[in-house]
Amino acid sequence: MNIAVGSDHAGFEFKKTVLAWLERSGYEFTDMGPYDEGSVDYPDYARKVAKAVAEGLCDSGVLLCGTGIGVSISANKIKGIRAAVACNPEFATLARQHNNANIICFSARFTDQATIEQSLHNWFSTDFEGGRHQQRVNKIEPCC
Ligand code: RB5
């Protein structure tokens, strides 16, 4: 499984936490930047990660910005992407169980390291429940 990871400058430090967790947990990953803490525009990195997932180059993605909101809005513009902000580990579990999210987004400014690590654990160890949730996920389509 190859995981695409990206952030903006606000998420840069916690991106290192994510990469370290993925490495410790035995996942392959692709760091899609940025590669230093200089100021960048979050849609550029969100798009890179989202396109890698949508095109099947990576299985899923992790994105970080100040709130997680900017990267999630941007990633969700790419067809086939279901990016969810996880504020806590329970959000991460439900994002997989109910929404089959293929990208998880974190706030670097309002989340701590332990929360991010537990959320990653939950997200990667939880399965989509399907059933009534599949029917709803099928309805998530661009409509205009
Ligand atoms: C950058 O200052 C900040 O706006 C960005 O990281 C993010 O929070 C946007 O949603």
Side-chain angles (χ1 to χ4, degrees):
M1 180 168 341
N2 195 302
I3 316 301
V5 186
S7 73
D8 70 353
H9 50 285
F12 180 70
E13 279 304 316
F14 270 134
K15 178 160 68 66
K16 294 180 195 167
T17 295
V18 170
L19 298 178
W21 185 91
L22 290 171
E23 180 134 50
R24 277 204 308 283
S25 305
Y27 292 102
E28 286 180 27
F29 55 84
T30 305
D31 180 0
M32 301 202 151
Y35 305 112
D36 62 51
E37 67 272 50
S39 182
V40 295
D41 297 332
Y42 59 80
D44 295 336
Y45 294 89
R47 188 174 301 120
K48 269 181 154 183
V49 166
K51 287 195 80 171
V53 174
E55 289 168 6
L57 303 174
C58 290
D59 303 286
S60 54
V62 182
L63 282 165
L64 307 98
C65 67
T67 57
I69 295 171
V71 286
S72 62
I73 291 173
S74 305
N76 279 318
K77 294 294 180 192
I78 304 297
K79 189 170 164 52
I81 293 301
R82 293 176 302 281
V85 183
C87 304
N88 58 46
E90 291 74 22
F91 273 48
T93 300
L94 288 166
R96 184 73 90 187
Q97 274 179 347
H98 288 194
N99 312 111
N100 203 16
N102 48 15
I103 295 183
I104 191 161
C105 305
F106 294 112
S107 161
R109 293 187 175 144
F110 301 96
T111 313
D112 58 28
Q113 180 172 341
T115 299
I116 290 177
E117 291 179 342
Q118 185 62 49
S119 297
L120 287 169
H121 171 80
N122 288 14
W123 195 56
F124 281 110
S125 59
T126 300
D127 291 325
F128 179 48
E129 277 184 4
R132 69 188 190 281
H133 299 297
Q134 182 67 64
Q135 173 187 320
R136 293 162 187 166
V137 165
N138 288 346
K139 292 185 176 181
I140 305 174
E141 281 295 323
C143 58
C144 51

